[in-house]
């Protein structure tokens, strides 16, 4: 089915009124005026902008035995509503996605239940024999959780494998030897980055630091960028909240929230391109779990991420171009996807935003099973008004429609 989208397009040449035609799931043509073919969606009007489809490189869709927290369906419905066309799922599930048989089950589950497209990461396995070529066909990269895996026997093997197969190594970079009495200082993050960067320099794997949280971490990252190709993302909570907010157990997260100076440094890092991407680290848990004093870290983020970022745009802290670069163009480049631009030959994923929509964050309306947020009650301006995956609207007029997600590894090369 063909789809023609009209409106103000965010193109590599800047914002301009025009049309995009998607045929067979791919962008076929972009022009100022195209004869309407197939279904036509008209987004001309105040405040609406058509962006290349947003990609979230770091989410936890849970499912399997943790489906009481979230499952593929609810997690990707949250993505669709939040404006995300692609989400990359982390392997710390139960069972973990660190064997080939679990990986195959995970992919099949995604194909049955996902509403938007998905990518998968592979966890560091217990046995080196699991590191097979097939992983590269099904996964976007290897996830390393340094706080638990620093001394793991198979870590070195997994990193060599990633170098050989040219897989991205996405790292939660906190060095646990610097944790003190349950506190996780910014120096632990800087040390984790240093350790991984040294290994990357020797081992030749492509390193990506996820959810960068501190200015100390950012400084370490920038130092290594002179010697090494490495990239990083941060999350809205590190841009908007500080440790003061973490007194509420719902806002508990790892790495922890930092100070106002860290927040400012990270915003500058995005603007200056030192931090390539922004991710939600969508990490749903049950409310009962979150209320425990030593409850798990993380909270849902897919339905708040874009409104929070567009609010930062509204306030002049970020530009719209920064948001598109961090949430679409760079994730596509880092993950090797034919996406991230409104251009002929890219996959037909689009996110239409309404820059004027103003509302208060109300978690009771979330599609996610986790109906709470540290941002509850915050007034925001800007939200997705339509999410299009391979030419099919999966979120439109406030409703999530049933889409059929595929593994983004099946996209293949740009056409
Ligand atoms: Zn995470």
């Amino acid at each position: 089915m063909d789809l023609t989208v009209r409106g103000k397009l965010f193109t590599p040449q800047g914002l301009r009124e025009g049309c995009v035609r998607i045929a067979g799931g791919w962008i076929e043509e972009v022009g100022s005026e195209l004869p309407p073919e197939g279904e036509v969606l008209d987004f001309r009007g105040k405040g609406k902008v058509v962006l290349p489809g947003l990609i979230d490189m770091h989410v936890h869709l849970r499912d399997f035995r943790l489906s009481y927290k979230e499952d593929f369906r609810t997690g990707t419905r949250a993505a669709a509503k939040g404006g995300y066309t692609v989400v990359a799922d982390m392997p710390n599930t139960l069972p973990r996605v660190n064997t080939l048989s679990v990986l195959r089950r995970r992919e099949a589950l995604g194909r049955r239940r996902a509403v938007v497209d998905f990518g998968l990461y592979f966890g560091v396995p217990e046995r080196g024999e699991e590191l097979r070529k097939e992983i590269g066909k099904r996964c976007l990269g290897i996830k390393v959780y340094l706080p638990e895996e620093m001394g793991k026997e198979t870590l070195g093997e997994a990193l060599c494998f990633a170098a050989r197969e040219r897989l991205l190594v996405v790292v939660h970079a906190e060095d646990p030897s610097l944790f003190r009495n349950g506190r996780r200082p910014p120096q632990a993050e800087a040390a984790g980055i240093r350790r991984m960067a040294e290994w990357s320099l020797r081992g030749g794997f492509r390193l990506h630091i996820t959810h960068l949280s501190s200015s100390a971490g950012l400084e370490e990252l920038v130092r290594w960028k002179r010697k090494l190709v490495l990239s990083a993302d941060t999350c809205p909570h590190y841009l908007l909240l500080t440790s003061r907010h973490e007194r509420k157990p719902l806002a508990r997260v790892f790495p922890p929230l930092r100070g106002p100076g860290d927040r400012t440094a990270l915003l500058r890092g995005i603007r200056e391109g030192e931090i390539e991407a922004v991710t939600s680290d969508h990490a749903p848990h049950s409310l009962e779990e979150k209320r425990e004093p030593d409850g798990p870290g993380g909270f849902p983020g897919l339905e708040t991420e874009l409104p929070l970022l567009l609010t930062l745009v509204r306030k002049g802290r970020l530009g719209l171009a920064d948001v598109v670069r961090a949430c679409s163009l760079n994730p596509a480049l880092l993950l090797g996807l034919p996406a991230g631009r409104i251009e002929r030959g890219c996959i037909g994923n689009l996110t239409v935003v309404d820059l004027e929509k103003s509302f208060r964050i109300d978690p009771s309306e979330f599609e996610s099973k986790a109906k709470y947020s540290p941002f509850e009650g915050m007034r925001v301006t800007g939200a997705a008004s339509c999410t299009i995956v391979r030419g099919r609207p999966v979120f439109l007029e406030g409703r999530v429609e049933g889409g059929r997600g595929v593994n983004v590894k099946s996209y293949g090369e740009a056409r």
Side-chain angles (χ1 to χ4, degrees), residues 212-245:
L212 185 74
S213 66
S214 64
S215 64
L218 178 59
E219 281 167 31
E220 190 67 35
L221 177 85
V222 171
R223 260 198 293 282
W224 283 97
K225 282 197 166 191
R226 294 186 205 121
K227 301 186 219 174
L228 192 65
V229 178
L230 82 167
S231 52
D233 69 74
T234 185
C235 314
H237 38 278
Y238 302 118
L239 303 175
L240 285 149
L241 304 178
T242 61
S243 48
R244 203 168 49 85
H245 296 92

Side-chain angles (χ1 to χ4, degrees), residues 150-167:
M150 206 157 91
K152 193 165 174 169
E153 265 179 50
T154 46
L155 178 58
E157 268 178 89
L159 297 177
C160 289
F161 173 79
R164 250 189 349 260
E165 300 297 319
R166 299 174 179 279
L167 285 168

